[in-house]
């Protein structure tokens, strides 16, 4: 009776849900960050079987390297206890709180182009609000660490206005523009999300300890890195994709010529969402990156919250005085594109939507499924159709504006 | 012997050239500004016959109104004497100094869309330099009268740099950005042209009396209005088309929401030349018009002289170290488009060029003729061909960049 617990005994009384959660958490620590090959394995054999394969090193060649270093570290239960002690939680793709809609695009990117192109395995979350609700309407505001008084002021105005209008401000908690964006949202009692490049227990930068504590109080601190993970240079680049994924669009306020903000913009564009940049004095080095992105067509120019919502916000009916509560008003990116490609009356085959939108077949299928989940479209033997064709003109008009 | 001179006697000894010049000058005073209907009449019957028809009111209905008020004022000889006393001259389409190439586009616009869409009948010019040479490489820099310190500084940097690189700075001599642009060009010993909305003898604004005198000294003051003409509101709008026509592109530095600079940009775009705007702080009302034009796709964003020359300057070979003295490097707008549509080897019919460029047949024919004048193209029984196909790739590459 006092013998060591056998591995089998350890799982006695553990529900499937628990087992899956432990598998996600175990894998999160093994790969520390995005791993497209592991995501693919999970997609094909399921998370529990994938965890077993990693543990036993019964792996394809591509996965041996990424898992080699930490596959022996199985401290999932302790990690879960740790995040609980911090008042946080881990959110996995199995959870209702998982922002599935937001993550769709990341899973559709080609990992051959960028090794980081993968959905995070889990998100470690601190804060009381629901992640899925907090990211329903959200804009990322990012920029230079070495910001100027002008940049700080512009960020305060823009992020404050977005937050006051009920939009979540997503940023990276860095010095300069990021910190200012969070503070502006907090100042108006708005919602803000800090996405970290380290474990959820690590305040980074350490001088933002207090700011991060305030964000945990009324907003959310989110990271894909398990507790205890330190920041590393490549974490920032991978982190930026989560900032982009959690928002309807990315706004850059001040960026030097080699700013990391350009990387966030790259993710944003790859996800099919609007990237935006705020101009500044041409005499200011801190605005050079913004001007360059605008000039090279990488970002739209925006000067105020209204411009940002024009680009990234809900598509609006142009009928005067009509403010419809239709869910399709919240469409953007591929969702809006695909929805607009469906006829106002009748059905359409995915093949025709592919031809119209220029998206890949897999993107169209995934997007149609996502639209189906929220009840905007359905399919019959003739193809896909809109469940409510009444607002056709508004969505199409908004799409036209972006062509 | 002491009898009054008969009208016939007055023209005794007058050369054809003199007669044509007097006809242009007479008509310039009669219509005071652009008159597409009169330009059409001159195009069909010649300037001497058109002047006779106006004098005798042997006119189509459309021309009676515009000529009614001043057709009785025939003081062409006195006007010529007047401009001569001012040290100036009148430049007509008959003169070698006429910037024919620059004016081509204006004659191709549809006057039904804008009554001012017409080539000026003559230009009243003060200053020593040749107008046609001074406008060989030129950029218009215009903007708000109520400029800020930032706008003045940016204008000084940009216009000074353009002038120092040998580009003529064209502007409207107004308070604020215009005046700053002229001063910056003068300060580096560069060339500048002020285009007025009044007679060449009228300093406007009067506080720029000294500035205009300096421009006459080393640059050019140009207007289509005969001596003595006061500024009127609609003159400014018509004047703006000459600013646009005389330059390879228009740069706006600071413009309020209802700035006249937007009108100059409109002309620039209608002439197929690049319109550009300099961003500024989003907190500055003086930059709102610039940001709006960039946002609405009316103007490219530019932050320094180099950006401007990338858009409007000579098309450059991408071969490192090669700076070709080829005249086609100076092509822009329709000329570049048409030249690029001709094959590197062999000939092409205008019809095919129309199909490729999307320009009208009349625009293509006029542009081919202009290119022929400067020796870049020629035609044979198979169509039009490039006289020097060696730089094909550079021009095509530059065109691609703008698509």
């Amino acid at each position: 009776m006092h013998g060591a617990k056998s591995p089998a005994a350890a799982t006695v009384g553990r529900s499937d849900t628990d087992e899956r959660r432990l598998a996600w958490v175990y894998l999160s620590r093994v790969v520390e960050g995005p791993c497209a090959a592991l995501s693919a394995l999970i997609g094909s054999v399921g998370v529990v079987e994938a965890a077993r394969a990693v543990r036993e090193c019964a792996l394809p060649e591509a996965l041996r390297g990424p898992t080699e270093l930490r596959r022996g570290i199985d401290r999932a239960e302790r990690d879960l206890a740790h995040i609980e002690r911090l008042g946080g939680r881990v959110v996995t793709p199995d959870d209702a709180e998982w922002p599935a809609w937001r993550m769709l695009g990341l899973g559709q990117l080609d990992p051959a182009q960028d090794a980081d192109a993968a959905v995070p395995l889990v998100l470690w979350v601190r804060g009381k609000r629901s992640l899925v609700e907090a990211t329903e309407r959200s804009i990322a505001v990012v920029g230079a660490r070495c910001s100027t008084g002008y940049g700080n002021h512009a960020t305060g105005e823009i992020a404050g206005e977005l937050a006051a209008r009920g939009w979540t401000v997503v940023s990276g908690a860095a010095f300069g523009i990021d910190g200012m964006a969070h503070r502006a949202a907090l100042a108006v009692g708005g919602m803000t999300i800090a996405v970290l490049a380290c474990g959820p227990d690590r305040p980074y930068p350490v001088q933002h300890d207090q700011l991060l504590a305030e964000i945990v109080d009324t907003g959310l601190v989110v990271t894909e890195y398990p507790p205890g993970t330190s920041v590393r240079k490549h974490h920032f680049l991978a982190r930026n994709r989560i900032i982009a994924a959690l928002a309807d669009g990315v706004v850059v306020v001040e960026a030097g010529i080699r700013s990391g903000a350009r990387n966030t913009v790259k993710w944003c564009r790859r996800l099919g969402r609007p990237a935006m940049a705020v101009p500044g004095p041409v005499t200011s080095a801190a605005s050079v990156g913004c001007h360059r992105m605008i000039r090279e067509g990488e970002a739209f120019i925006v000067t105020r919250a209204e411009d940002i919502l024009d680009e990234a916000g809900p598509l609006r009916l142009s009928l005067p005085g009509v403010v419809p509560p239709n869910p399709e008003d919240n469409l953007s990116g591929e969702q809006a594109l695909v929805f607009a490609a469906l006829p106002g009356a009748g059905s359409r085959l995915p093949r025709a939507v592919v031809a119209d939108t220029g998206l890949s077949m897999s993107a169209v299928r995934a997007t149609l499924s996502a639209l189906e989940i929220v009840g905007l479209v359905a399919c019959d033997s003739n193809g896909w159709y809109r469940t409510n064709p009444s607002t056709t003109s508004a969505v199409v008009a908004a799409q036209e504006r972006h062509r």
Side-chain angles (χ1 to χ4, degrees), chain A:
Chain A
M1 299 289 170
H2 293 92
K5 284 198 285 187
S6 74
T11 59
V12 164
R14 187 183 282 164
S15 71
D16 277 4
T17 312
D18 287 343
E19 197 179 4
R20 289 177 60 86
R21 177 169 302 272
L22 287 168
W24 285 117
V25 170
Y26 161 71
L27 293 173
S28 166
R29 180 165 297 282
V30 170
V31 292
E32 256 189 18
C35 180
L38 180 56
S39 293
L41 182 66
I42 295 170
S44 91
V45 302
V47 66
V48 171
E49 185 56 25
R52 191 197 57 74
V54 168
R55 251 184 222 106
E56 298 172 5
C57 201
L59 291 169
E61 189 60 37
L63 263 170
R64 292 198 188 159
T67 58
E68 194 175 23
L69 195 63
R70 286 179 297 269
R71 69 185 180 79
I73 307 174
D74 194 350
R75 42 178 285 180
E77 305 217 34
R78 271 190 291 162
D79 281 340
L80 283 170
H82 188 174
I83 188 75
E84 209 168 299
R85 278 198 307 278
L86 290 169
R89 61 202 177 273
V90 66
V91 176
T92 81
D94 296 336
D95 298 321
E97 197 189 340
W98 181 256
W101 169 293
R102 291 277 173 212
M103 295 300 173
L104 271 177
L106 279 180
Q108 290 163 8
L109 296 179
D110 180 6
Q113 285 196 343
D114 190 323
D116 290 343
V119 176
L121 296 179
V122 307
L123 290 170
W124 302 83
V125 179
R126 298 176 67 187
K128 299 174 196 77
R129 299 282 296 273
S130 148
L131 181 58
V132 71
E133 281 169 23
T135 54
E136 246 171 38
R137 307 200 308 163
S138 56
I139 300 285
V141 180
V142 299
R145 282 187 293 267
C146 300
S147 57
T148 69
Y150 163 72
N152 293 340
H153 176 81
T155 305
E157 292 285 316
I158 286 171
E161 177 75 14
L162 289 171
R165 291 193 187 197
W167 287 75
T168 295
V169 173
V170 182
S171 196
F175 288 128
I177 301 300
D178 285 22
M180 197 63 204
H182 293 302
R183 285 194 181 94
L186 293 173
V188 297
M191 177 65 198
T192 190
I193 299 177
V195 184
L196 304 184
C198 55
D201 54 334
R202 296 268 170 135
Y204 185 90
V206 72
Q207 294 89 334
H208 279 179
D209 194 6
Q210 183 54 36
L211 173 63
L212 286 163
E214 285 173 39
I215 297 174
V216 167
D217 264 355
T218 59
L220 293 170
V221 169
V222 170
T223 176
E224 68 183 316
Y225 298 101
T229 312
S230 306
V231 293
R232 291 198 208 293
K233 202 174 171 193
H234 71 270
H235 288 183
F236 289 101
L237 300 177
R239 182 274 307 267
N240 291 343
R241 87 192 193 290
I242 301 181
I243 291 180
L246 291 182
D248 290 291
V250 169
V251 180
V252 181
V253 193
E254 293 200 320
I257 198 72
R258 297 180 174 281
S259 172
R262 201 161 182 180
N263 173 258
T264 313
V265 157
K266 189 195 73 179
W267 284 114
C268 175
R269 287 162 53 79
R270 291 172 77 184
L271 293 171
R273 306 199 187 139
M276 297 160 272
V278 174
V282 296
T283 45
S284 165
S287 288
V288 167
C290 289
H291 295 149
R292 187 178 220 175
M293 287 187 281
I294 296 165
R295 187 158 150 65
E296 298 185 356
E298 293 172 13
F300 297 109
I301 189 173
V302 289
T303 62
R304 49 190 182 152
E306 208 175 315
D307 293 347
I308 294 163
L309 298 184
D310 274 350
E311 295 298 343
L315 308 178
R316 282 173 298 194
L317 273 178
S318 54
L319 300 174
V322 177
V323 183
N326 298 318
E328 66 261 49
D329 292 350
N330 284 311
L331 296 184
S332 63
E334 296 181 351
Q335 276 100 27
L337 216 56
V338 168
F339 187 82
L342 294 181
S347 304
R348 203 148 191 222
L349 292 173
R351 196 182 321 129
V353 177
V354 166
D356 248 24
T357 58
L359 299 173
S360 69
M361 179 57 91
S362 66
V364 166
R365 285 200 188 279
T367 308
L368 285 169
S369 304
L371 292 170
E372 188 182 30
I373 290 166
V374 293
L376 283 174
V377 307
C379 67
D380 59 19
S381 57
N382 295 317
W384 292 81
Y385 59 91
R386 296 184 186 182
T387 51
N388 171 13
S390 69
T391 52
T392 307
S393 56
V395 177
V396 172
Q399 283 300 310
E400 291 297 330
R401 203 166 55 78
H402 276 280
R403 268 175 200 157

